Amino acid sequence: MIAELGHFALILALFVAAVQMTVPLIGAARGDAVLMRLDRFAAALLFLLVAGAFGALTWLHVTSDFSVLNVVQNSHTDKPMLYKITGVWGNHEGSMMLWTFILAFYGLAVTVFGRHLPLGLRARVLSVQAMIAFAFLLFILLTSNPFLRVDPAPVNGEGLNPLLQDPGLAFHPPFLYLGYVGFSMAFSFAIAALLEGRVDAAWARWVRPWTLAAWCALTLGIAMGCWWSYYTLGWGGYWAWDPVENASFMPWLAGTALLHSAIVAEKRDTMKSWTIFLAIITFSLSLLGTFLVRSGILTSVHSFANDPRRGAFILGLLVSLTGGSLLLYALRAPVLKSKGLFAAVSRETGLLFNNVVLSAAAGSVLLGTLYPLLADVMGWGKVSVGPPYFNLVIGPLLLLLLPVMAVGPLLSWKRGNLSQAIGRLKYVAVTALAVAGLTLLVTGLSEHSLLAALGLGLAAWLFFGSLREWTSRIGLFQRSWRDALHRARHLPRAAYGMTISHLGLAVVILGVTGSQAWQEEYLQVMHPGDVATLSGYQLKFLGTEDNLRGPNYTSTRARFIVTRDGNYITELQPERRIFTNPPQPLSTVAIYTNLVSDLYVVLGDPADRGGFVIHIYHNPLVPLLFLGAIILVLGGVVSLTDRHHRIGAPLRSLAGRFSMPKPEAAAPPQPPSMAPPRWGWASLAPVLIFLGLSGAFVYRLHLADQGFVPNLIPSVLINRPAPQFALPPLLTKDRGYTTADLKGKVTLVNFFASWCAPCREEHAYLSQIAGSGANLIGVNYKDRPDDAKAWLTELGNPYGNVVSDMAGSAGIDFGVYGVPETYLIDKNGIIRFKQTGPLTPDIIRDRIIPLMAKLAR
């Protein structure tokens, strides 16, 4: 009954959304206040219905109602209560429910906090929000119904992926969605302004708090995802440039640009058209992330679903919302003239430069993420884009941006004095150079130390430059202490928020620099009593405790005593857990932190004579990365509490702009004061680019619908002989491998790399193939041999032979799309099957092993 009530609430919500997206919009066009005032009631009712449906799904999970398919597939009676609740959004259907719930919540927030909004503007904004809600509700009801029944009901469920049974990941999606969906508010305000035909300082003032709230949530969500990756996956890192990680980073970059652009639009009445465009692009990138995760056109460890039918629906939504809004922008943008003028040296120029760099960064990440897909569609061959590309592109852009971040706030609006601003930073420059020089003096002259010195010097420049800007605002060292304190107390919170966020970014850069430049690792088989020494720490392995029972797993726990110079520091207890439902191994990391560096211990596979593979990392400055992220969010929250944002634009300043005549005035509705639309290539370019990209997506989904999904991408070599290759061994115990060695036996060739996060997830399942007696060959792809050897020592070596393809030549010949990638080759050396992306238990059980058995016969 609860499931049916939830389903019925979704259907009612669809009809309410249909009313909300049409009636108030018609009222705004006609100047009918009665119709416009329906927006608040409809938004509140929509929220109640969606909240009721979401609550019903949560109740079904909490009570383990296994008559509902979604509960069967994602829950189990042995799961702790926290993960029964978070299992609601740990799947495609539930995550869509969470998305729609947050969307309805933002609509309700407009009705609560938008009391000062003009009636016409509010009606248009809530109508646009309802359009988005209608589309997602229709998507859920037609393709992703979470309330489907199963008959007969099983006794128990299949459980939740153990990687998702973690407190960090439990709260990571809600904050991420608060950011993704929050940018829909900026989008709705942008479309409302385009429909009205006017954008002014008051509009920008209303957009900023919604954008800031979304930005804070998305920043926190990304930071939580990095923290989860760091302490859960056991690889010593926090960011892998995975396509779905990139899908969260792109709207963050665009949203950061939007925040700064809105400041210029409000303060100086300029960059209005650009701000509108950024609002559209930011939310469109959020929708693009949803499409990538659920369409199956790209392979990612984070993917919720690989259903091209769902992908086609989301693509239709993306085309309707983004394509329609870009077309409206192309029509209206030419008439959005900026009134504010500014000199080449001014604060406006600094913020414009900020926007250019951030937009270039977002575009570069978008290109790197989608280039393999575009290359495949255009027939340019199979390519993979990994961390080297992203690091090479983002690094120089940061190098351009960070120096300006300290100078820009010291410039005046309209016309600034560059020499005066730089003069104020002379001691900051000396400090930054001293930090860089001290870094080189301590670490010596090398490529790593030069990059580290540059990173720490820039972090010091931004950190102390931000403090210098604050002291200039309050007149510290220029006025009396009493006067400076008085000015500090009356400084707007938005100014404090800017300073705090810039300080936080400087701290993040410290963490990234230290972790990339000075990470040390130890990888050995250790027996009880052995001592490992790393970065001045001594770790004594005391042994393991076996068969420890958890709520839904059994574990082996290791014990390490950590000392330094003979002094006891702590005890670390990493574990290897074997979950029962679903059956899957998982290592839990033990971390000791002194808030400056981390000692990071991973318990690997058992070895001979009671030993275990132990992987230990010393990660300098990594805690500062997460601390900096918290400071970033804190700065945003402080800015959000500014009275300027909480009160919003006075109603009288918007009168005549967005409000419509009152009914009793009986005045005819006034058309927007716009010149006739002028078409131009500049305004049409975004539409044309988007249409081209949509065409590539349509073609990719068409292939997927024919069975050519990315994890089953057909190679041009399918049913053809494997290409000629001769690769050297990676390990001294192995021998080289050539094409001739494929003859006479069925062989599975697996391309992998130590830098590949999905490879780590896949690796746990390769033992199933090796255990079946298959000839499993590993090809280490574009990887450093030492890193690959360490990776295999840590995780175990399931391969019969491992060879090295450092140059990637064999991968090119095979048509490798991106690691991991696997090829099944028959006794005659003919390729019969290709798997792009990580192997899963289902693929191994249902496709690989049966096909291998068939080929063996």
Side-chain angles (χ1 to χ4, degrees):
M1 184 63 179
I2 298 296
E4 285 70 30
L5 287 175
H7 190 198
F8 187 61
L10 283 180
I11 296 173
L12 286 179
L14 181 72
F15 284 101
V16 172
V19 172
Q20 184 185 335
M21 74 182 191
T22 53
V23 175
L25 198 60
I26 293 172
R30 294 179 176 177
D32 189 331
V34 175
L35 296 181
M36 286 189 284
R37 288 195 174 95
L38 185 65
D39 61 350
R40 295 186 67 185
F41 173 77
L45 182 58
L46 178 65
F47 172 77
L48 290 176
L49 290 170
V50 174
F54 187 74
L57 184 60
T58 304
W59 177 259
L60 294 171
H61 275 259
V62 168
T63 58
S64 298
D65 187 344
F66 296 122
S67 67
V68 176
L69 182 61
N70 185 265
V71 181
V72 173
Q73 293 175 336
N74 300 283
S75 190
H76 192 276
T77 53
D78 292 337
K79 268 202 327 183
M81 181 56 69
L82 172 64
Y83 304 129
K84 287 185 177 182
I85 296 173
T86 58
V88 174
W89 54 79
N91 59 87
H92 165 71
E93 293 81 5
S95 67
M96 284 289 90
M97 285 290 299
L98 177 63
W99 177 290
T100 310
F101 170 73
I102 294 175
L103 187 67
F105 172 77
Y106 273 111
L108 179 69
V110 172
T111 69
V112 174
F113 299 106
R115 293 187 300 273
H116 296 282
L117 274 173
L119 192 56
L121 173 62
R122 192 187 69 200
R124 290 184 173 91
V125 168
L126 287 176
S127 290
V128 176
Q129 281 289 106
M131 293 176 191
I132 304 171
F134 180 87
F136 276 96
L137 286 166
L138 191 64
F139 173 64
I140 292 173
L141 288 169
L142 294 182
T143 71
S144 310
N145 186 359
F147 297 109
L148 292 176
R149 293 284 190 180
V150 57
D151 186 29
V155 176
N156 219 323
E158 299 172 7
L160 183 68
N161 186 337
L163 287 172
L164 305 181
Q165 297 185 41
D166 179 87
L169 206 64
F171 302 104
H172 158 66
F175 281 104
L176 206 61
Y177 284 9
L178 279 168
Y180 280 157
V181 182
F183 286 128
S184 69
M185 292 306 309
F187 174 85
S188 296
F189 272 93
I191 299 304
L194 287 174
L195 290 172
E196 176 65 22
R198 292 188 180 95
V199 180
D200 59 4
W203 174 87
R205 190 172 178 180
W206 269 109
V207 168
R208 281 180 64 193
W210 298 105
T211 305
L212 188 57
W215 181 88
C216 290
L218 184 58
T219 304
L220 185 58
I222 292 174
M224 293 177 73
C226 291
W227 172 239
W228 168 83
S229 177
Y230 178 64
Y231 77 83
T232 298
L233 297 183
W235 63 304
Y238 44 82
W239 189 265
W241 293 108
D242 177 273
V244 179
E245 291 175 342
N246 298 346
S248 67
F249 191 43
M250 289 184 289
W252 186 87
L253 289 169
T256 306
L258 174 60
L259 273 178
H260 293 82
S261 176
I263 295 173
V264 182
E266 177 188 350
K267 300 289 186 183
R268 297 290 303 137
D269 196 26
T270 189
M271 292 174 60
K272 297 186 294 187
S273 176
W274 173 248
T275 304
I276 290 283
F277 179 71
L278 276 179
I280 294 171
I281 291 300
T282 302
F283 182 59
S284 298
L285 288 172
S286 298
L287 290 177
L288 178 64
T290 304
F291 174 67
L292 294 178
V293 175
R294 290 168 171 83
S295 64
I297 68 165
L298 288 178
T299 300
S300 168
V301 67
H302 301 281
S303 294
F304 273 111
N306 292 307
D307 188 345
R309 292 172 299 174
R310 290 171 173 170
F313 197 107
I314 299 177
L315 180 59
L317 170 61
L318 185 64
V319 169
S320 300
L321 289 176
T322 303
S325 58
L326 288 176
L327 185 61
L328 180 63
Y329 174 80
L331 277 168
R332 302 295 176 94
V335 301
L336 297 177
K337 296 295 184 181
S338 297
K339 298 178 182 178
L341 301 176
F342 54 90
V345 177
S346 62
R347 187 175 296 189
E348 293 95 324
T349 303
L351 290 168
L352 177 61
F353 183 79
N354 157 291
N355 270 229
V356 170
V357 174
L358 288 172
S359 300
S364 300
V365 175
L366 178 65
L367 176 63
T369 303
L370 297 183
Y371 185 78
L373 179 147
L374 296 176
D376 187 29
V377 170
M378 298 301 294
W380 299 336
K382 307 289 185 179
V383 296
S384 61
V385 179
Y389 162 81
F390 294 105
N391 294 333
L392 185 64
V393 170
I394 299 300
L397 289 174
L398 279 176
L399 190 62
L400 290 173
L401 180 62
L402 293 176
V404 179
M405 287 183 64
V407 178
L410 291 172
L411 296 173
S412 301
W413 292 106
K414 194 172 182 179
R415 183 180 299 275
N417 189 320
L418 184 60
S419 59
Q420 184 182 52
I422 294 177
R424 293 180 182 178
L425 295 170
K426 57 186 176 183
Y427 295 117
V428 174
V430 170
T431 304
L433 290 173
V435 169
L438 184 61
T439 302
L440 289 175
L441 185 64
V442 172
T443 61
L445 193 61
S446 67
E447 181 182 353
H448 277 289
S449 60
L450 284 172
L451 292 175
L454 180 62
L456 295 186
L458 286 173
W461 166 264
L462 178 58
F463 188 91
F464 292 107
S466 300
L467 289 178
R468 180 68 182 92
E469 190 273 338
W470 175 75
T471 62
S472 296
R473 279 180 179 267
I474 66 174
L476 191 63
F477 308 124
Q478 299 168 358
R479 303 172 181 268
S480 67
W481 284 94
R482 178 175 297 178
D483 190 19
L485 183 61
H486 174 79
R487 291 169 67 92
R489 284 201 305 264
H490 292 84
L491 198 65
R493 292 183 186 177
Y496 275 109
M498 179 199 72
T499 301
I500 293 170
S501 290
H502 286 189
L503 292 174
L505 181 59
V507 176
V508 168
I509 294 168
L510 280 174
V512 172
T513 302
S515 64
Q516 295 298 310
W518 299 310
Q519 184 188 67
E520 296 183 63
E521 60 181 308
Y522 172 96
L523 181 61
Q524 292 290 341
V525 174
M526 296 183 67
H527 298 84
D530 288 351
V531 177
T533 300
L534 185 68
S535 301
Y537 291 98
Q538 294 79 41
L539 294 88
K540 184 175 182 180
F541 180 34
L542 300 183
T544 60
E545 302 174 74
D546 299 325
N547 297 318
L548 299 175
R549 298 290 300 176
N552 57 342
Y553 61 84
T554 58
S555 71
T556 298
R557 179 185 300 156
R559 295 181 59 211
F560 291 85
I561 296 296
V562 182
T563 59
R564 189 182 183 97
D565 299 327
N567 298 316
Y568 174 84
I569 301 297
T570 188
E571 180 176 325
L572 295 176
Q573 298 182 351
E575 294 184 13
R576 278 189 66 81
R577 296 176 177 175
I578 304 296
F579 285 80
T580 53
N581 289 285
Q584 184 175 323
L586 180 68
S587 292
T588 61
V589 178
I591 301 176
Y592 165 73
T593 182
N594 57 12
L595 301 182
V596 177
S597 63
D598 283 351
L599 198 59
Y600 182 105
V601 183
V602 184
L603 177 64
D605 289 335
D608 57 341
R609 301 192 307 276
F612 282 84
V613 176
I614 305 298
H615 205 164
I616 307 171
Y617 295 90
H618 181 250
N619 294 325
L621 303 185
V622 163
L624 296 185
L625 187 152
F626 300 109
L627 175 63
I630 294 172
I631 296 173
L632 266 173
V633 176
L634 177 63
V637 172
V638 170
S639 291
L640 202 56
T641 62
D642 192 301
R643 184 172 180 270
H644 177 85
H645 292 319
R646 285 183 285 117
I647 291 180
L651 190 61
R652 63 179 177 275
S653 70
L654 293 166
R657 283 177 160 77
F658 291 102
S659 296
M660 294 292 124
K662 296 181 180 179
E664 56 267 27
Q670 300 296 319
S673 59
M674 292 179 55
R678 293 178 300 165
W679 294 85
W681 287 111
S683 55
L684 278 177
V687 181
L688 298 176
I689 294 172
F690 176 74
L691 289 176
L693 187 60
S694 299
F697 288 153
V698 169
Y699 177 73
R700 200 71 192 88
L701 287 172
H702 168 70
L703 293 180
D705 193 49
Q706 301 300 314
F708 303 118
V709 293
N711 56 335
L712 295 173
I713 292 175
S715 169
V716 294
L717 300 177
I718 290 291
N719 295 324
R720 295 185 181 182
Q724 295 294 319
F725 66 90
L727 295 174
L730 176 71
L731 307 174
T732 54
K733 71 177 184 65
D734 291 334
R735 60 179 180 84
Y737 209 81
T738 69
T739 308
D741 294 317
L742 297 171
K743 299 294 180 66
K745 50 186 172 293
V746 178
T747 304
L748 200 67
V749 178
N750 175 252
F751 285 81
F752 73 96
S754 65
W755 45 261
C756 163
C759 296
R760 180 175 289 270
E761 182 186 5
E762 172 193 73
H763 199 81
Y765 307 122
L766 293 179
S767 57
Q768 297 181 30
I769 300 174
S772 67
N775 183 34
L776 180 60
I777 304 299
V779 180
N780 186 233
Y781 180 70
K782 291 185 178 181
D783 203 358
R784 293 186 300 181
D786 289 342
D787 291 346
K789 292 174 185 177
W791 195 78
L792 289 172
T793 304
E794 175 194 348
L795 299 179
N797 182 5
Y799 302 107
N801 200 344
V802 187
V803 292
S804 177
D805 185 23
M806 284 187 63
S809 57
I812 292 174
D813 292 337
F814 269 87
V816 168
Y817 179 83
V819 289
E821 195 157 298
T822 307
Y823 296 81
L824 183 58
I825 303 171
D826 69 13
K827 296 177 182 181
N828 299 313
I830 306 298
I831 296 177
R832 298 300 186 184
F833 177 83
K834 175 182 177 180
Q835 163 76 17
T836 296
L839 294 168
T840 65
D842 290 342
I843 293 173
I844 293 172
R845 181 186 67 246
D846 299 336
R847 301 200 56 121
I848 301 289
I849 292 179
L851 185 54
M852 290 181 71
K854 180 180 178 181
L855 293 174
R857 292 194 298 268

Coordinates of all heavy atoms in Angstrom, one line a residue, residues 424-475:
R424 N 51.2 47.6 -2.9 CA 50.6 47.1 -1.6 C 51.0 45.7 -1.4 O 51.0 45.2 -0.2 CB 49.1 47.2 -1.6 CG 48.6 48.6 -1.6 CD 47.1 48.6 -1.6 NE 46.5 50.0 -1.7 CZ 45.2 50.2 -1.7 NH1 44.3 49.2 -1.7 NH2 44.8 51.5 -1.7
L425 N 51.4 44.9 -2.4 CA 51.7 43.5 -2.3 C 53.2 43.2 -2.3 O 53.6 42.1 -2.5 CB 51.0 42.7 -3.5 CG 49.5 42.7 -3.5 CD1 49.0 42.1 -4.8 CD2 48.9 41.9 -2.3
K426 N 54.0 44.3 -2.1 CA 55.4 44.0 -2.2 C 55.9 43.1 -1.2 O 56.8 42.2 -1.4 CB 56.2 45.3 -2.2 CG 55.9 46.2 -1.0 CD 56.6 47.6 -1.1 CE 56.3 48.4 0.1 NZ 56.8 49.8 0.0
Y427 N 55.4 43.2 0.1 CA 55.9 42.3 1.1 C 55.3 40.9 0.9 O 55.9 39.9 1.3 CB 55.5 42.9 2.5 CG 56.2 44.2 2.8 CD1 55.4 45.3 3.0 CD2 57.5 44.2 3.0 CE1 56.0 46.5 3.3 CE2 58.2 45.4 3.3 CZ 57.4 46.6 3.4 OH 58.1 47.8 3.7
V428 N 54.1 40.9 0.3 CA 53.5 39.6 0.0 C 54.4 38.8 -1.0 O 54.7 37.6 -0.9 CB 52.1 39.7 -0.5 CG1 51.5 38.4 -1.0 CG2 51.2 40.3 0.6
A429 N 54.9 39.6 -2.0 CA 55.7 39.0 -3.1 C 57.0 38.5 -2.5 O 57.5 37.4 -2.8 CB 56.0 40.0 -4.1
V430 N 57.6 39.3 -1.5 CA 58.8 38.9 -0.9 C 58.6 37.6 -0.1 O 59.4 36.6 -0.1 CB 59.4 40.0 0.1 CG1 60.5 39.5 0.9 CG2 59.8 41.2 -0.8
T431 N 57.4 37.5 0.6 CA 57.1 36.3 1.4 C 57.0 35.1 0.5 O 57.5 34.0 0.7 CB 55.8 36.5 2.2 OG1 56.0 37.7 3.0 CG2 55.5 35.3 3.0
A432 N 56.3 35.3 -0.7 CA 56.0 34.2 -1.6 C 57.4 33.7 -2.2 O 57.6 32.5 -2.3 CB 55.1 34.6 -2.7
L433 N 58.2 34.6 -2.6 CA 59.6 34.2 -3.1 C 60.4 33.5 -2.0 O 61.1 32.6 -2.3 CB 60.3 35.5 -3.6 CG 59.7 36.1 -4.9 CD1 60.4 37.4 -5.2 CD2 59.9 35.1 -6.0
A434 N 60.3 34.0 -0.8 CA 61.0 33.3 0.3 C 60.5 31.9 0.5 O 61.3 31.0 0.7 CB 60.8 34.1 1.6
V435 N 59.2 31.7 0.4 CA 58.6 30.3 0.6 C 59.2 29.4 -0.5 O 59.6 28.3 -0.3 CB 57.1 30.4 0.6 CG1 56.5 29.0 0.5 CG2 56.6 31.0 1.9
A436 N 59.1 29.9 -1.8 CA 59.6 29.2 -2.9 C 61.1 28.9 -2.8 O 61.5 27.7 -3.0 CB 59.3 29.9 -4.2
G437 N 61.9 29.9 -2.4 CA 63.3 29.6 -2.2 C 63.6 28.7 -1.1 O 64.5 27.8 -1.3
L438 N 62.9 28.8 0.0 CA 63.1 27.9 1.1 C 62.8 26.4 0.7 O 63.5 25.5 1.1 CB 62.3 28.3 2.3 CG 62.5 27.5 3.6 CD1 63.9 27.6 4.1 CD2 61.5 28.0 4.7
T439 N 61.7 26.3 -0.1 CA 61.4 25.0 -0.6 C 62.5 24.3 -1.4 O 62.8 23.2 -1.2 CB 60.1 25.0 -1.4 OG1 59.0 25.6 -0.6 CG2 59.7 23.7 -1.9
L440 N 63.1 25.1 -2.3 CA 64.2 24.6 -3.1 C 65.4 24.3 -2.2 O 66.1 23.3 -2.5 CB 64.5 25.6 -4.2 CG 63.5 25.8 -5.3 CD1 64.0 26.9 -6.2 CD2 63.4 24.5 -6.1
L441 N 65.6 25.2 -1.2 CA 66.8 25.0 -0.4 C 66.7 23.7 0.4 O 67.7 22.9 0.6 CB 66.9 26.2 0.6 CG 68.2 26.2 1.5 CD1 69.4 26.3 0.6 CD2 68.1 27.3 2.5
V442 N 65.5 23.4 0.9 CA 65.3 22.2 1.7 C 65.2 20.9 0.8 O 65.8 19.9 1.2 CB 64.0 22.3 2.5 CG1 63.7 21.0 3.2 CG2 64.1 23.4 3.5
T443 N 64.6 21.0 -0.3 CA 64.3 19.7 -1.1 C 65.3 19.5 -2.2 O 65.4 18.4 -2.8 CB 62.9 19.8 -1.7 OG1 62.9 20.9 -2.6 CG2 61.8 19.9 -0.7
G444 N 66.1 20.5 -2.5 CA 67.1 20.4 -3.6 C 66.5 20.7 -4.9 O 65.3 20.9 -5.1
L445 N 67.4 20.8 -5.9 CA 67.0 21.2 -7.3 C 66.6 20.0 -8.1 O 67.5 19.2 -8.4 CB 68.1 22.0 -7.9 CG 67.7 22.8 -9.2 CD1 66.6 23.8 -8.9 CD2 68.9 23.5 -9.8
S446 N 65.3 19.9 -8.5 CA 64.9 18.8 -9.3 C 63.5 19.3 -10.0 O 63.0 20.3 -9.6 CB 64.7 17.5 -8.6 OG 63.6 17.6 -7.6
E447 N 63.0 18.5 -10.9 CA 61.8 18.8 -11.5 C 60.6 18.9 -10.5 O 59.8 19.8 -10.5 CB 61.4 17.8 -12.6 CG 60.1 18.2 -13.4 CD 59.8 17.1 -14.4 OE1 60.6 16.2 -14.7 OE2 58.7 17.2 -15.0
H448 N 60.6 17.9 -9.6 CA 59.5 17.9 -8.6 C 59.6 19.0 -7.7 O 58.6 19.7 -7.3 CB 59.6 16.5 -7.8 CG 58.9 15.4 -8.5 ND1 57.5 15.3 -8.6 CD2 59.4 14.3 -9.1 CE1 57.2 14.2 -9.3 NE2 58.3 13.6 -9.6
S449 N 60.9 19.3 -7.2 CA 61.1 20.4 -6.3 C 60.8 21.8 -6.9 O 60.2 22.7 -6.2 CB 62.5 20.4 -5.7 OG 63.4 20.6 -6.7
L450 N 61.1 22.0 -8.2 CA 60.7 23.2 -8.9 C 59.2 23.4 -8.9 O 58.7 24.5 -8.6 CB 61.3 23.2 -10.3 CG 62.8 23.5 -10.4 CD1 63.3 23.3 -11.8 CD2 63.2 24.9 -9.9
L451 N 58.5 22.4 -9.3 CA 57.0 22.5 -9.3 C 56.5 22.7 -7.9 O 55.5 23.4 -7.7 CB 56.4 21.2 -9.9 CG 56.7 21.0 -11.4 CD1 56.2 19.6 -11.9 CD2 56.1 22.1 -12.3
A452 N 57.1 22.0 -6.9 CA 56.6 22.2 -5.5 C 56.8 23.6 -5.1 O 56.0 24.2 -4.4 CB 57.3 21.2 -4.6
A453 N 58.0 24.1 -5.4 CA 58.3 25.5 -5.0 C 57.4 26.5 -5.7 O 56.9 27.5 -5.0 CB 59.8 25.8 -5.4
L454 N 57.0 26.3 -6.9 CA 56.1 27.1 -7.6 C 54.7 27.0 -7.0 O 54.1 28.1 -6.7 CB 56.0 26.7 -9.1 CG 55.0 27.5 -10.0 CD1 55.4 29.0 -10.0 CD2 55.0 26.9 -11.4
G455 N 54.3 25.8 -6.6 CA 52.9 25.6 -6.0 C 52.9 26.3 -4.6 O 51.9 27.0 -4.3
L456 N 53.9 26.1 -3.8 CA 53.9 26.6 -2.5 C 54.0 28.2 -2.5 O 53.4 28.9 -1.7 CB 55.0 26.0 -1.6 CG 54.9 24.5 -1.3 CD1 56.0 24.1 -0.4 CD2 53.5 24.2 -0.7
G457 N 54.8 28.7 -3.5 CA 55.0 30.1 -3.6 C 53.7 30.8 -4.0 O 53.3 31.8 -3.5
L458 N 52.9 30.2 -5.0 CA 51.7 30.7 -5.4 C 50.6 30.6 -4.3 O 49.8 31.6 -4.1 CB 51.1 30.0 -6.6 CG 51.8 30.3 -7.9 CD1 51.3 29.3 -9.0 CD2 51.6 31.7 -8.4
A459 N 50.6 29.5 -3.5 CA 49.7 29.4 -2.4 C 50.0 30.5 -1.3 O 49.1 31.1 -0.8 CB 49.9 28.0 -1.7
A460 N 51.3 30.8 -1.1 CA 51.7 31.8 -0.1 C 51.3 33.2 -0.7 O 50.8 34.1 0.1 CB 53.2 31.8 0.1
W461 N 51.5 33.4 -2.0 CA 51.0 34.7 -2.6 C 49.5 34.9 -2.4 O 49.1 36.0 -2.1 CB 51.4 34.6 -4.1 CG 50.8 35.7 -5.0 CD1 49.7 35.6 -5.7 CD2 51.3 37.0 -5.2 NE1 49.4 36.7 -6.4 CE2 50.4 37.6 -6.1 CE3 52.3 37.8 -4.7 CZ2 50.5 39.0 -6.5 CZ3 52.5 39.1 -5.1 CH2 51.6 39.7 -6.0
L462 N 48.7 33.9 -2.7 CA 47.3 34.1 -2.6 C 46.9 34.2 -1.1 O 46.0 35.1 -0.8 CB 46.6 32.9 -3.2 CG 45.0 32.9 -3.1 CD1 44.4 34.1 -3.8 CD2 44.5 31.6 -3.8
F463 N 47.5 33.4 -0.2 CA 47.1 33.5 1.2 C 47.4 34.8 1.8 O 46.5 35.5 2.3 CB 47.8 32.4 1.9 CG 47.4 32.2 3.4 CD1 46.4 31.3 3.7 CD2 48.0 32.9 4.4 CE1 46.0 31.1 5.0 CE2 47.5 32.8 5.7 CZ 46.5 31.8 6.0
F464 N 48.6 35.3 1.7 CA 49.0 36.6 2.3 C 48.5 37.8 1.5 O 48.2 38.8 2.1 CB 50.5 36.6 2.5 CG 51.0 35.7 3.5 CD1 51.7 34.5 3.1 CD2 50.8 35.8 4.8 CE1 52.2 33.6 4.0 CE2 51.3 34.9 5.7 CZ 52.0 33.8 5.3
G465 N 48.3 37.6 0.2 CA 47.6 38.6 -0.6 C 46.2 38.8 -0.2 O 45.7 40.0 -0.1
S466 N 45.5 37.8 0.1 CA 44.1 37.9 0.6 C 44.0 38.6 2.0 O 43.2 39.4 2.2 CB 43.4 36.5 0.7 OG 43.4 35.9 -0.6
L467 N 45.0 38.3 2.8 CA 45.1 38.9 4.1 C 45.4 40.4 3.9 O 44.9 41.3 4.6 CB 46.1 38.3 5.0 CG 45.7 36.9 5.5 CD1 46.9 36.3 6.4 CD2 44.5 36.9 6.4
R468 N 46.3 40.7 3.0 CA 46.6 42.1 2.7 C 45.5 42.9 2.2 O 45.3 44.1 2.6 CB 47.8 42.1 1.7 CG 48.2 43.6 1.4 CD 48.9 44.2 2.6 NE 49.3 45.6 2.3 CZ 48.6 46.6 2.6 NH1 47.4 46.5 3.1 NH2 49.1 47.9 2.4
E469 N 44.6 42.3 1.4 CA 43.4 43.0 0.9 C 42.5 43.3 2.1 O 41.9 44.4 2.1 CB 42.7 42.1 -0.1 CG 41.6 42.8 -0.9 CD 40.3 42.7 -0.2 OE1 40.1 41.8 0.6 OE2 39.4 43.5 -0.5
W470 N 42.4 42.4 3.0 CA 41.5 42.6 4.2 C 42.1 43.7 5.1 O 41.3 44.6 5.5 CB 41.4 41.3 5.0 CG 40.6 41.5 6.3 CD1 39.3 41.6 6.4 CD2 41.1 41.5 7.6 NE1 38.9 41.7 7.7 CE2 40.1 41.7 8.5 CE3 42.4 41.4 8.1 CZ2 40.2 41.8 9.9 CZ3 42.6 41.5 9.5 CH2 41.5 41.7 10.3
T471 N 43.3 43.7 5.3 CA 43.9 44.8 6.1 C 43.8 46.2 5.4 O 43.6 47.2 6.1 CB 45.4 44.5 6.4 OG1 46.1 44.5 5.1 CG2 45.6 43.2 7.1
S472 N 43.8 46.2 4.1 CA 43.6 47.4 3.4 C 42.1 47.9 3.6 O 41.9 49.1 3.7 CB 43.9 47.3 1.9 OG 45.2 47.0 1.7
R473 N 41.2 47.0 3.6 CA 39.8 47.4 3.8 C 39.5 48.1 5.1 O 38.8 49.0 5.2 CB 38.9 46.2 3.6 CG 38.6 45.7 2.2 CD 37.7 44.5 2.2 NE 37.4 44.1 0.9 CZ 36.3 44.4 0.2 NH1 35.4 45.2 0.8 NH2 36.0 43.9 -1.0
I474 N 40.2 47.5 6.1 CA 39.9 48.0 7.5 C 40.9 49.1 7.9 O 40.8 49.7 9.0 CB 39.9 46.9 8.5 CG1 41.3 46.3 8.7 CG2 38.9 45.8 8.2 CD1 41.4 45.3 9.8
G475 N 41.9 49.3 7.0 CA 42.9 50.4 7.3 C 43.9 50.0 8.4 O 44.4 50.8 9.1

